[in-house]
PDB file of all heavy atoms in Angstrom:
ATOM      1  N   ASP U   1     180.002  79.863  88.534  1.00 97.00           N
ATOM      2  CA  ASP U   1     179.376  81.150  88.245  1.00 97.00           C
ATOM      3  C   ASP U   1     177.938  80.856  87.813  1.00 97.00           C
ATOM      4  O   ASP U   1     177.706  80.372  86.701  1.00 97.00           O
ATOM      5  CB  ASP U   1     180.152  81.868  87.146  1.00 97.00           C
ATOM      6  CG  ASP U   1     179.533  83.208  86.772  1.00 97.00           C
ATOM      7  OD1 ASP U   1     178.649  83.694  87.511  1.00 97.00           O
ATOM      8  OD2 ASP U   1     179.926  83.756  85.727  1.00 97.00           O
ATOM      9  N   VAL U   2     176.977  81.117  88.678  1.00 98.00           N
ATOM     10  CA  VAL U   2     175.600  80.665  88.468  1.00 98.00           C
ATOM     11  C   VAL U   2     174.701  81.838  88.101  1.00 98.00           C
ATOM     12  O   VAL U   2     174.753  82.904  88.720  1.00 98.00           O
ATOM     13  CB  VAL U   2     175.055  79.959  89.728  1.00 98.00           C
ATOM     14  CG1 VAL U   2     173.615  79.488  89.500  1.00 98.00           C
ATOM     15  CG2 VAL U   2     175.944  78.777  90.101  1.00 98.00           C
ATOM     16  N   ALA U   3     173.867  81.617  87.085  1.00 98.00           N
ATOM     17  CA  ALA U   3     172.907  82.632  86.663  1.00 98.00           C
ATOM     18  C   ALA U   3     171.553  81.981  86.422  1.00 98.00           C
ATOM     19  O   ALA U   3     171.462  80.835  85.982  1.00 98.00           O
ATOM     20  CB  ALA U   3     173.383  83.333  85.398  1.00 98.00           C
ATOM     21  N   SER U   4     170.519  82.741  86.716  1.00 98.00           N
ATOM     22  CA  SER U   4     169.154  82.312  86.435  1.00 98.00           C
ATOM     23  C   SER U   4     168.668  82.974  85.155  1.00 98.00           C
ATOM     24  O   SER U   4     169.042  84.111  84.852  1.00 98.00           O
ATOM     25  CB  SER U   4     168.247  82.694  87.611  1.00 98.00           C
ATOM     26  OG  SER U   4     166.899  82.389  87.336  1.00 98.00           O
ATOM     27  N   GLN U   5     167.852  82.254  84.408  1.00 98.00           N
ATOM     28  CA  GLN U   5     167.240  82.796  83.197  1.00 98.00           C
ATOM     29  C   GLN U   5     165.716  82.758  83.384  1.00 98.00           C
ATOM     30  O   GLN U   5     165.049  81.814  82.965  1.00 98.00           O
ATOM     31  CB  GLN U   5     167.653  81.982  81.977  1.00 98.00           C
ATOM     32  CG  GLN U   5     169.149  82.000  81.703  1.00 98.00           C
ATOM     33  CD  GLN U   5     169.554  81.086  80.552  1.00 98.00           C
ATOM     34  OE1 GLN U   5     168.764  80.277  80.071  1.00 98.00           O
ATOM     35  NE2 GLN U   5     170.800  81.211  80.122  1.00 98.00           N
ATOM     36  N   PRO U   6     165.140  83.767  84.038  1.00 98.00           N
ATOM     37  CA  PRO U   6     163.711  83.736  84.376  1.00 98.00           C
ATOM     38  C   PRO U   6     162.812  84.002  83.176  1.00 98.00           C
ATOM     39  O   PRO U   6     163.214  84.664  82.213  1.00 98.00           O
ATOM     40  CB  PRO U   6     163.577  84.853  85.413  1.00 98.00           C
ATOM     41  CG  PRO U   6     164.686  85.803  85.086  1.00 98.00           C
ATOM     42  CD  PRO U   6     165.818  84.961  84.565  1.00 98.00           C
ATOM     43  N   PHE U   7     161.605  83.492  83.262  1.00 98.00           N
ATOM     44  CA  PHE U   7     160.615  83.713  82.207  1.00 98.00           C
ATOM     45  C   PHE U   7     159.218  83.515  82.790  1.00 98.00           C
ATOM     46  O   PHE U   7     159.041  82.881  83.831  1.00 98.00           O
ATOM     47  CB  PHE U   7     160.834  82.744  81.036  1.00 98.00           C
ATOM     48  CG  PHE U   7     160.932  81.291  81.448  1.00 98.00           C
ATOM     49  CD1 PHE U   7     159.787  80.525  81.668  1.00 98.00           C
ATOM     50  CD2 PHE U   7     162.169  80.696  81.626  1.00 98.00           C
ATOM     51  CE1 PHE U   7     159.875  79.208  82.051  1.00 98.00           C
ATOM     52  CE2 PHE U   7     162.273  79.358  82.020  1.00 98.00           C
ATOM     53  CZ  PHE U   7     161.121  78.626  82.231  1.00 98.00           C
ATOM     54  N   ASP U   8     158.237  84.075  82.126  1.00 97.00           N
ATOM     55  CA  ASP U   8     156.837  83.883  82.500  1.00 97.00           C
ATOM     56  C   ASP U   8     156.313  82.587  81.885  1.00 97.00           C
ATOM     57  O   ASP U   8     156.753  82.164  80.811  1.00 97.00           O
ATOM     58  CB  ASP U   8     155.984  85.052  82.011  1.00 97.00           C
ATOM     59  CG  ASP U   8     156.326  86.359  82.702  1.00 97.00           C
ATOM     60  OD1 ASP U   8     156.757  86.322  83.868  1.00 97.00           O
ATOM     61  OD2 ASP U   8     156.176  87.424  82.064  1.00 97.00           O
ATOM     62  N   CYS U   9     155.370  81.956  82.577  1.00 97.00           N
ATOM     63  CA  CYS U   9     154.763  80.736  82.061  1.00 97.00           C
ATOM     64  C   CYS U   9     153.374  80.579  82.664  1.00 97.00           C
ATOM     65  O   CYS U   9     152.947  81.395  83.494  1.00 97.00           O
ATOM     66  CB  CYS U   9     155.620  79.510  82.387  1.00 97.00           C
ATOM     67  SG  CYS U   9     155.805  79.187  84.159  1.00 97.00           S
ATOM     68  N   LEU U  10     152.681  79.547  82.254  1.00 97.00           N
ATOM     69  CA  LEU U  10     151.338  79.280  82.742  1.00 97.00           C
ATOM     70  C   LEU U  10     151.351  78.043  83.620  1.00 97.00           C
ATOM     71  O   LEU U  10     151.864  76.991  83.231  1.00 97.00           O
ATOM     72  CB  LEU U  10     150.391  79.057  81.556  1.00 97.00           C
ATOM     73  CG  LEU U  10     148.891  79.144  81.836  1.00 97.00           C
ATOM     74  CD1 LEU U  10     148.500  80.567  82.223  1.00 97.00           C
ATOM     75  CD2 LEU U  10     148.111  78.721  80.587  1.00 97.00           C
ATOM     76  N   ASP U  11     150.802  78.185  84.836  1.00 97.00           N
ATOM     77  CA  ASP U  11     150.557  77.032  85.690  1.00 97.00           C
ATOM     78  C   ASP U  11     149.075  76.681  85.590  1.00 97.00           C
ATOM     79  O   ASP U  11     148.288  77.422  84.971  1.00 97.00           O
ATOM     80  CB  ASP U  11     150.967  77.346  87.129  1.00 97.00           C
ATOM     81  CG  ASP U  11     151.082  76.091  87.987  1.00 97.00           C
ATOM     82  OD1 ASP U  11     151.087  74.976  87.435  1.00 97.00           O
ATOM     83  OD2 ASP U  11     151.166  76.234  89.224  1.00 97.00           O
ATOM     84  N   TRP U  12     148.672  75.600  86.222  1.00 96.00           N
ATOM     85  CA  TRP U  12     147.303  75.117  86.036  1.00 96.00           C
ATOM     86  C   TRP U  12     146.882  74.315  87.255  1.00 96.00           C
ATOM     87  O   TRP U  12     147.643  73.488  87.759  1.00 96.00           O
ATOM     88  CB  TRP U  12     147.270  74.249  84.781  1.00 96.00           C
ATOM     89  CG  TRP U  12     145.939  73.675  84.386  1.00 96.00           C
ATOM     90  CD1 TRP U  12     144.855  74.333  83.916  1.00 96.00           C
ATOM     91  CD2 TRP U  12     145.587  72.277  84.388  1.00 96.00           C
ATOM     92  NE1 TRP U  12     143.838  73.453  83.611  1.00 96.00           N
ATOM     93  CE2 TRP U  12     144.267  72.179  83.888  1.00 96.00           C
ATOM     94  CE3 TRP U  12     146.264  71.110  84.746  1.00 96.00           C
ATOM     95  CZ2 TRP U  12     143.604  70.954  83.757  1.00 96.00           C
ATOM     96  CZ3 TRP U  12     145.614  69.900  84.609  1.00 96.00           C
ATOM     97  CH2 TRP U  12     144.294  69.826  84.122  1.00 96.00           C
ATOM     98  N   GLU U  13     145.688  74.597  87.749  1.00 95.00           N
ATOM     99  CA  GLU U  13     145.115  73.826  88.847  1.00 95.00           C
ATOM    100  C   GLU U  13     143.894  73.076  88.357  1.00 95.00           C
ATOM    101  O   GLU U  13     143.064  73.621  87.619  1.00 95.00           O
ATOM    102  CB  GLU U  13     144.724  74.754  90.005  1.00 95.00           C
ATOM    103  CG  GLU U  13     145.914  75.268  90.788  1.00 95.00           C
ATOM    104  CD  GLU U  13     145.501  76.036  92.026  1.00 95.00           C
ATOM    105  OE1 GLU U  13     144.279  76.208  92.252  1.00 95.00           O
ATOM    106  OE2 GLU U  13     146.398  76.465  92.772  1.00 95.00           O
ATOM    107  N   ASN U  14     143.772  71.835  88.767  1.00 96.00           N
ATOM    108  CA  ASN U  14     142.713  70.961  88.288  1.00 96.00           C
ATOM    109  C   ASN U  14     142.034  70.277  89.467  1.00 96.00           C
ATOM    110  O   ASN U  14     142.681  69.593  90.257  1.00 96.00           O
ATOM    111  CB  ASN U  14     143.314  69.915  87.339  1.00 96.00           C
ATOM    112  CG  ASN U  14     142.335  68.836  86.960  1.00 96.00           C
ATOM    113  OD1 ASN U  14     141.159  69.111  86.729  1.00 96.00           O
ATOM    114  ND2 ASN U  14     142.814  67.600  86.900  1.00 96.00           N
ATOM    115  N   GLN U  15     140.734  70.462  89.572  1.00 96.00           N
ATOM    116  CA  GLN U  15     139.962  69.800  90.627  1.00 96.00           C
ATOM    117  C   GLN U  15     139.145  68.627  90.086  1.00 96.00           C
ATOM    118  O   GLN U  15     138.301  68.075  90.793  1.00 96.00           O
ATOM    119  CB  GLN U  15     139.015  70.803  91.306  1.00 96.00           C
ATOM    120  CG  GLN U  15     139.745  71.871  92.123  1.00 96.00           C
ATOM    121  CD  GLN U  15     140.290  73.003  91.264  1.00 96.00           C
ATOM    122  OE1 GLN U  15     139.609  73.482  90.350  1.00 96.00           O
ATOM    123  NE2 GLN U  15     141.506  73.424  91.553  1.00 96.00           N
ATOM    124  N   GLY U  16     139.388  68.236  88.843  1.00 97.00           N
ATOM    125  CA  GLY U  16     138.734  67.054  88.303  1.00 97.00           C
ATOM    126  C   GLY U  16     137.676  67.367  87.265  1.00 97.00           C
ATOM    127  O   GLY U  16     137.334  68.521  87.004  1.00 97.00           O
ATOM    128  N   ALA U  17     137.145  66.317  86.674  1.00 98.00           N
ATOM    129  CA  ALA U  17     136.126  66.439  85.628  1.00 98.00           C
ATOM    130  C   ALA U  17     135.164  65.270  85.744  1.00 98.00           C
ATOM    131  O   ALA U  17     135.501  64.205  86.272  1.00 98.00           O
ATOM    132  CB  ALA U  17     136.778  66.455  84.249  1.00 98.00           C
ATOM    133  N   SER U  18     133.939  65.467  85.234  1.00 98.00           N
ATOM    134  CA  SER U  18     132.935  64.402  85.254  1.00 98.00           C
ATOM    135  C   SER U  18     132.140  64.437  83.956  1.00 98.00           C
ATOM    136  O   SER U  18     131.922  65.499  83.360  1.00 98.00           O
ATOM    137  CB  SER U  18     131.999  64.555  86.450  1.00 98.00           C
ATOM    138  OG  SER U  18     131.276  65.776  86.384  1.00 98.00           O
ATOM    139  N   LEU U  19     131.690  63.258  83.531  1.00 98.00           N
ATOM    140  CA  LEU U  19     130.916  63.119  82.305  1.00 98.00           C
ATOM    141  C   LEU U  19     129.806  62.108  82.538  1.00 98.00           C
ATOM    142  O   LEU U  19     130.061  61.005  83.036  1.00 98.00           O
ATOM    143  CB  LEU U  19     131.826  62.646  81.163  1.00 98.00           C
ATOM    144  CG  LEU U  19     131.140  62.287  79.832  1.00 98.00           C
ATOM    145  CD1 LEU U  19     130.554  63.536  79.187  1.00 98.00           C
ATOM    146  CD2 LEU U  19     132.129  61.600  78.891  1.00 98.00           C
ATOM    147  N   THR U  20     128.588  62.475  82.184  1.00 98.00           N
ATOM    148  CA  THR U  20     127.457  61.558  82.284  1.00 98.00           C
ATOM    149  C   THR U  20     126.736  61.512  80.942  1.00 98.00           C
ATOM    150  O   THR U  20     126.628  62.516  80.238  1.00 98.00           O
ATOM    151  CB  THR U  20     126.462  61.982  83.381  1.00 98.00           C
ATOM    152  OG1 THR U  20     125.990  63.309  83.106  1.00 98.00           O
ATOM    153  CG2 THR U  20     127.133  61.958  84.745  1.00 98.00           C
ATOM    154  N   ALA U  21     126.249  60.305  80.610  1.00 98.00           N
ATOM    155  CA  ALA U  21     125.484  60.103  79.376  1.00 98.00           C
ATOM    156  C   ALA U  21     124.519  58.949  79.605  1.00 98.00           C
ATOM    157  O   ALA U  21     124.928  57.871  80.067  1.00 98.00           O
ATOM    158  CB  ALA U  21     126.408  59.788  78.205  1.00 98.00           C
ATOM    159  N   GLY U  22     123.250  59.168  79.309  1.00 96.00           N
ATOM    160  CA  GLY U  22     122.254  58.116  79.480  1.00 96.00           C
ATOM    161  C   GLY U  22     122.175  57.596  80.893  1.00 96.00           C
ATOM    162  O   GLY U  22     121.909  56.403  81.101  1.00 96.00           O
ATOM    163  N   GLY U  23     122.423  58.463  81.870  1.00 95.00           N
ATOM    164  CA  GLY U  23     122.383  58.045  83.261  1.00 95.00           C
ATOM    165  C   GLY U  23     123.631  57.316  83.729  1.00 95.00           C
ATOM    166  O   GLY U  23     123.707  56.884  84.889  1.00 95.00           O
ATOM    167  N   ASN U  24     124.633  57.179  82.873  1.00 96.00           N
ATOM    168  CA  ASN U  24     125.881  56.492  83.228  1.00 96.00           C
ATOM    169  C   ASN U  24     127.018  57.493  83.387  1.00 96.00           C
ATOM    170  O   ASN U  24     127.108  58.472  82.635  1.00 96.00           O
ATOM    171  CB  ASN U  24     126.259  55.485  82.135  1.00 96.00           C
ATOM    172  CG  ASN U  24     125.211  54.403  81.960  1.00 96.00           C
ATOM    173  OD1 ASN U  24     124.784  53.792  82.934  1.00 96.00           O
ATOM    174  ND2 ASN U  24     124.790  54.179  80.717  1.00 96.00           N
ATOM    175  N   ASN U  25     127.891  57.229  84.348  1.00 98.00           N
ATOM    176  CA  ASN U  25     129.079  58.049  84.558  1.00 98.00           C
ATOM    177  C   ASN U  25     130.255  57.454  83.791  1.00 98.00           C
ATOM    178  O   ASN U  25     130.460  56.236  83.789  1.00 98.00           O
ATOM    179  CB  ASN U  25     129.433  58.123  86.048  1.00 98.00           C
ATOM    180  CG  ASN U  25     128.360  58.822  86.854  1.00 98.00           C
ATOM    181  OD1 ASN U  25     127.799  59.823  86.414  1.00 98.00           O
ATOM    182  ND2 ASN U  25     128.077  58.309  88.041  1.00 98.00           N
ATOM    183  N   PHE U  26     131.028  58.319  83.165  1.00 98.00           N
ATOM    184  CA  PHE U  26     132.218  57.905  82.434  1.00 98.00           C
ATOM    185  C   PHE U  26     133.445  58.551  83.070  1.00 98.00           C
ATOM    186  O   PHE U  26     133.403  59.735  83.424  1.00 98.00           O
ATOM    187  CB  PHE U  26     132.121  58.319  80.969  1.00 98.00           C
ATOM    188  CG  PHE U  26     131.101  57.550  80.183  1.00 98.00           C
ATOM    189  CD1 PHE U  26     129.755  57.894  80.242  1.00 98.00           C
ATOM    190  CD2 PHE U  26     131.480  56.479  79.383  1.00 98.00           C
ATOM    191  CE1 PHE U  26     128.807  57.189  79.520  1.00 98.00           C
ATOM    192  CE2 PHE U  26     130.535  55.768  78.645  1.00 98.00           C
ATOM    193  CZ  PHE U  26     129.206  56.117  78.720  1.00 98.00           C
ATOM    194  N   GLU U  27     134.513  57.794  83.189  1.00 98.00           N
ATOM    195  CA  GLU U  27     135.749  58.338  83.762  1.00 98.00           C
ATOM    196  C   GLU U  27     136.461  59.191  82.715  1.00 98.00           C
ATOM    197  O   GLU U  27     136.817  58.710  81.636  1.00 98.00           O
ATOM    198  CB  GLU U  27     136.676  57.224  84.226  1.00 98.00           C
ATOM    199  CG  GLU U  27     137.945  57.750  84.907  1.00 98.00           C
ATOM    200  CD  GLU U  27     138.873  56.651  85.373  1.00 98.00           C
ATOM    201  OE1 GLU U  27     138.663  55.482  84.986  1.00 98.00           O
ATOM    202  OE2 GLU U  27     139.823  56.965  86.126  1.00 98.00           O
ATOM    203  N   VAL U  28     136.662  60.445  83.053  1.00 98.00           N
ATOM    204  CA  VAL U  28     137.400  61.363  82.180  1.00 98.00           C
ATOM    205  C   VAL U  28     138.390  62.152  83.019  1.00 98.00           C
ATOM    206  O   VAL U  28     138.218  62.320  84.230  1.00 98.00           O
ATOM    207  CB  VAL U  28     136.462  62.344  81.436  1.00 98.00           C
ATOM    208  CG1 VAL U  28     135.591  61.609  80.441  1.00 98.00           C
ATOM    209  CG2 VAL U  28     135.614  63.145  82.412  1.00 98.00           C
ATOM    210  N   MET U  29     139.456  62.619  82.375  1.00 98.00           N
ATOM    211  CA  MET U  29     140.465  63.458  82.995  1.00 98.00           C
ATOM    212  C   MET U  29     140.530  64.792  82.258  1.00 98.00           C
ATOM    213  O   MET U  29     140.422  64.825  81.030  1.00 98.00           O
ATOM    214  CB  MET U  29     141.845  62.785  82.948  1.00 98.00           C
ATOM    215  CG  MET U  29     142.036  61.640  83.930  1.00 98.00           C
ATOM    216  SD  MET U  29     141.041  60.182  83.576  1.00 98.00           S
ATOM    217  CE  MET U  29     141.843  59.549  82.109  1.00 98.00           C
ATOM    218  N   SER U  30     140.702  65.855  82.999  1.00 98.00           N
ATOM    219  CA  SER U  30     140.843  67.171  82.374  1.00 98.00           C
ATOM    220  C   SER U  30     142.105  67.211  81.530  1.00 98.00           C
ATOM    221  O   SER U  30     143.185  66.824  81.994  1.00 98.00           O
ATOM    222  CB  SER U  30     140.909  68.272  83.440  1.00 98.00           C
ATOM    223  OG  SER U  30     139.802  68.231  84.291  1.00 98.00           O
ATOM    224  N   SER U  31     141.999  67.684  80.309  1.00 98.00           N
ATOM    225  CA  SER U  31     143.201  67.885  79.500  1.00 98.00           C
ATOM    226  C   SER U  31     144.075  68.946  80.164  1.00 98.00           C
ATOM    227  O   SER U  31     143.569  69.998  80.572  1.00 98.00           O
ATOM    228  CB  SER U  31     142.824  68.349  78.094  1.00 98.00           C
ATOM    229  OG  SER U  31     142.043  67.381  77.443  1.00 98.00           O
ATOM    230  N   PRO U  32     145.371  68.694  80.323  1.00 97.00           N
ATOM    231  CA  PRO U  32     146.234  69.678  80.974  1.00 97.00           C
ATOM    232  C   PRO U  32     146.111  71.060  80.341  1.00 97.00           C
ATOM    233  O   PRO U  32     146.131  71.202  79.116  1.00 97.00           O
ATOM    234  CB  PRO U  32     147.635  69.092  80.776  1.00 97.00           C
ATOM    235  CG  PRO U  32     147.404  67.619  80.672  1.00 97.00           C
ATOM    236  CD  PRO U  32     146.106  67.477  79.936  1.00 97.00           C
ATOM    237  N   TYR U  33     145.932  72.060  81.189  1.00 97.00           N
ATOM    238  CA  TYR U  33     145.808  73.470  80.814  1.00 97.00           C
ATOM    239  C   TYR U  33     144.462  73.802  80.158  1.00 97.00           C
ATOM    240  O   TYR U  33     144.280  74.896  79.634  1.00 97.00           O
ATOM    241  CB  TYR U  33     146.993  73.924  79.943  1.00 97.00           C
ATOM    242  CG  TYR U  33     148.296  73.661  80.645  1.00 97.00           C
ATOM    243  CD1 TYR U  33     149.034  72.519  80.353  1.00 97.00           C
ATOM    244  CD2 TYR U  33     148.725  74.494  81.665  1.00 97.00           C
ATOM    245  CE1 TYR U  33     150.200  72.228  81.047  1.00 97.00           C
ATOM    246  CE2 TYR U  33     149.890  74.208  82.367  1.00 97.00           C
ATOM    247  CZ  TYR U  33     150.613  73.079  82.059  1.00 97.00           C
ATOM    248  OH  TYR U  33     151.753  72.792  82.753  1.00 97.00           O
ATOM    249  N   SER U  34     143.483  72.871  80.260  1.00 98.00           N
ATOM    250  CA  SER U  34     142.157  73.158  79.741  1.00 98.00           C
ATOM    251  C   SER U  34     141.463  74.218  80.581  1.00 98.00           C
ATOM    252  O   SER U  34     141.680  74.335  81.787  1.00 98.00           O
ATOM    253  CB  SER U  34     141.299  71.889  79.743  1.00 98.00           C
ATOM    254  OG  SER U  34     139.945  72.182  79.428  1.00 98.00           O
TER     255      SER U  34
END
């Protein structure tokens, strides 16, 4: 006997992030759901 328990939630799409300082690039990742 199968039942679903639906609910609303937040999804998130991320196309990346970039950081530069003093002419140098630093590897950074977007914080999930930022």
Side-chain angles (χ1 to χ4, degrees):
D1 179 12
V2 180
S4 176
Q5 298 175 349
F7 51 83
D8 294 330
C9 63
L10 196 66
D11 195 13
W12 181 69
E13 286 187 358
N14 171 40
Q15 292 80 43
S18 62
L19 173 67
T20 58
N24 298 310
N25 296 319
F26 290 81
E27 183 180 12
V28 293
M29 285 68 71
S30 305
S31 299
Y33 304 98
S34 171

